Amino acid sequence: MHELSIATAIVEQAEEIARADGADGVSSVTVRVGELAGVVPDALDFAFEVAREGTALAGARLVVEQVAAQAYCAPCAEEFAVGMPPFFWCPRCDRPSQELRSGRELEITDVVPVPSPAPH
């Protein structure tokens, strides 16, 4: 399950971001995961729960934004969904696409720090 190594990397990067911003903890991490990234969102969520234990993300929630795979057809000048399994033929002109525009993403897009306690 390579999702555990991905989740561990997410936790480590989110901790670095939080420390750089002066936060003691993280309440949520948002990641964009492309349809063709080879990551199973449910497995990533489970792995994240394991990887976050004992870290500044111990109570953090993982938000996964799924990104559909889109290819571009130059002759038609249009984007189209590739689907799963991926099919890179333009549905309009029936030619193969040479350009994948989205679907391979695997990136952290937001790290929300734990709110600091109000001073007394």
Side-chain angles (χ1 to χ4, degrees):
M1 175 161 93
H2 73 283
E3 282 83 359
L4 184 55
S5 62
I6 293 168
T8 301
I10 290 169
V11 168
E12 290 170 356
Q13 289 180 16
E15 278 185 310
E16 286 179 28
I17 292 167
R19 271 196 302 274
D21 289 343
D24 292 330
V26 173
S27 63
S28 71
V29 178
T30 302
V31 294
R32 288 174 35 97
V33 177
E35 186 175 20
L36 302 177
V39 175
V40 178
D42 287 342
L44 181 60
D45 194 45
F46 176 78
F48 181 79
E49 288 183 22
V50 172
R52 71 182 182 176
E53 290 303 314
T55 71
L57 282 82
R61 167 175 78 92
L62 180 66
V63 178
V64 177
E65 295 176 349
Q66 293 184 285
V67 180
Q70 296 280 319
Y72 179 74
C73 177
C76 293
E78 288 192 28
E79 282 190 11
F80 61 93
V82 239
M84 278 306 281
F87 189 69
F88 293 93
W89 288 84
C90 177
R92 185 170 178 193
C93 70
D94 199 31
R95 290 188 222 174
S97 170
Q98 301 295 314
E99 184 179 346
L100 182 65
R101 292 242 167 129
S102 66
R104 289 194 177 149
E105 296 84 352
L106 183 53
E107 59 191 357
I108 296 173
T109 59
D110 194 25
V111 175
V112 178
V114 172
S116 299
H120 295 298

